[in-house]
Amino acid sequence: MTIFACVNTKGGVGKTTTAVHLAAMLAASHPTLLIDGDPQASAASWAAWRRENADFKSSPTTTCLVGKAIVSEGRQLSAGFAHTVVDAGGRDSAGLRSALLLAQEAIVPVGASNLDAAAMTDLLTVVDMAKDYNPDLRVRVLLTRLDPRTKDVIDMLVFLKEQSLAIFDTTICERVAYRRAIGEGATVHEVGKDRAAIAEIEAFLKEATA
Ligand SMILES: Nc1ncnc2c1ncn2[C@@H]1O[C@H](COP(=O)(O)OP(=O)(O)OP(=O)(O)O)[C@@H](O)[C@H]1O
Ligand SMILES: [Mg+2]
């Protein structure tokens, strides 16, 4: 049983996109719980749209929890599933801290820009605190929304290595397929059939579950 949490104090980095893809891919083979821990409820909206489309076969069981309930109720609920994925809200909040207490695997989606790097300081403080209570927490950074035409990713990798952060080998590019998928309650496998998107998200799944 593995509990993943997609976390970052910065907004719009791809937490929900990563969480729903991970949960849907895991649900294809094992009972999976998706906890929407963001009061904006984007993952819950995705799940509601997904329920409306009978073609989308495997779905995670989705629930919304806020604040400390993510760790208290989340612990009980996750015991009934092979895997759990928490989509934590952006901002340093009780919900984010609770997600980091519940999780075994923290996945930190980040873009490759100076703003993303600057915003990481906040998150690293919260992660350090969480590790006092959850010493086995594994933290890995996932570079997302990358523009392959720029060299920004090289600078970001240097920064992340300076922070001694573990980084996924897989990177996620900015692709229309992701935006479309989320808006339709789907994954990139189910809309548009962008092969590059499917390949990278499957490589991410393999690494996340390794
Ligand atoms: N790889 C990608 N390619 C293209 N668009 C993306 C990608 N990842 C995310 N997006 C789009 O960027 C926006 C923000 O993504 P997402 O909602 O996953 O981020 P978030 O970190 O959960 O944001 P929030 O902090 O608001 O919860 C959405 O419109 C989403 O469709
Ligand atoms: Mg989100």
Side-chain angles (χ1 to χ4, degrees):
M1 190 188 87
T2 310
I3 304 178
F4 299 91
C6 296
V7 294
N8 197 332
T9 43
K10 192 171 187 313
V13 289
K15 295 179 294 293
T16 301
T17 303
T18 306
V20 301
H21 275 88
L22 180 59
M25 290 189 292
L26 290 168
S29 53
H30 294 93
T32 300
L33 176 67
L34 173 62
I35 297 177
D36 190 339
D38 184 351
Q40 286 179 12
S42 311
S45 301
W46 171 86
W49 294 324
R50 189 170 181 81
R51 278 190 284 276
E52 285 169 12
N53 192 327
D55 292 341
F56 301 159
K57 298 286 183 242
S58 63
S59 295
T61 300
T62 307
T63 189
C64 294
L65 294 175
V66 284
K68 290 180 183 164
I70 293 174
V71 68
S72 53
E73 288 182 41
R75 194 159 276 153
Q76 286 179 20
L77 290 172
S78 61
F81 292 85
H83 299 295
T84 297
V85 180
V86 185
D87 177 18
R91 290 181 304 112
D92 177 8
S93 60
L96 170 60
R97 288 166 188 239
S98 301
L100 288 170
L101 292 180
L102 178 70
Q104 295 148 341
E105 300 274 346
I107 297 168
V108 185
V110 288
S113 74
N114 286 343
L115 279 179
D116 285 89
M120 284 217 70
T121 319
D122 285 353
L123 179 74
L124 293 175
T125 310
V126 182
V127 164
D128 273 350
M129 265 190 300
K131 279 189 171 170
D132 288 343
Y133 300 93
N134 186 8
D136 296 330
L137 179 69
R138 183 182 186 197
V139 180
R140 283 183 285 175
V141 171
L142 176 67
L143 285 159
T144 55
R145 309 196 62 184
L146 297 186
D147 179 348
R149 291 166 305 183
T150 72
K151 299 234 173 342
D152 295 347
V153 66
I154 296 168
D155 296 340
M156 193 64 182
L157 283 170
V158 170
F159 168 79
L160 294 170
K161 283 185 182 144
E162 278 168 8
Q163 309 294 318
S164 306
L165 282 163
I167 308 160
F168 280 93
D169 290 333
T170 308
T171 55
I172 306 293
C173 289
E174 177 84 13
R175 300 181 197 278
V176 175
Y178 288 105
R179 198 164 308 134
R180 273 195 59 203
I182 298 306
E184 296 181 25
T187 67
V188 289
H189 303 77
E190 295 156 338
V191 294
K193 303 280 185 229
D194 178 336
R195 283 201 197 156
I198 294 169
E200 70 190 3
I201 205 73
E202 288 189 349
F204 160 65
L205 172 70
K206 206 167 165 192
E207 260 193 280
T209 52

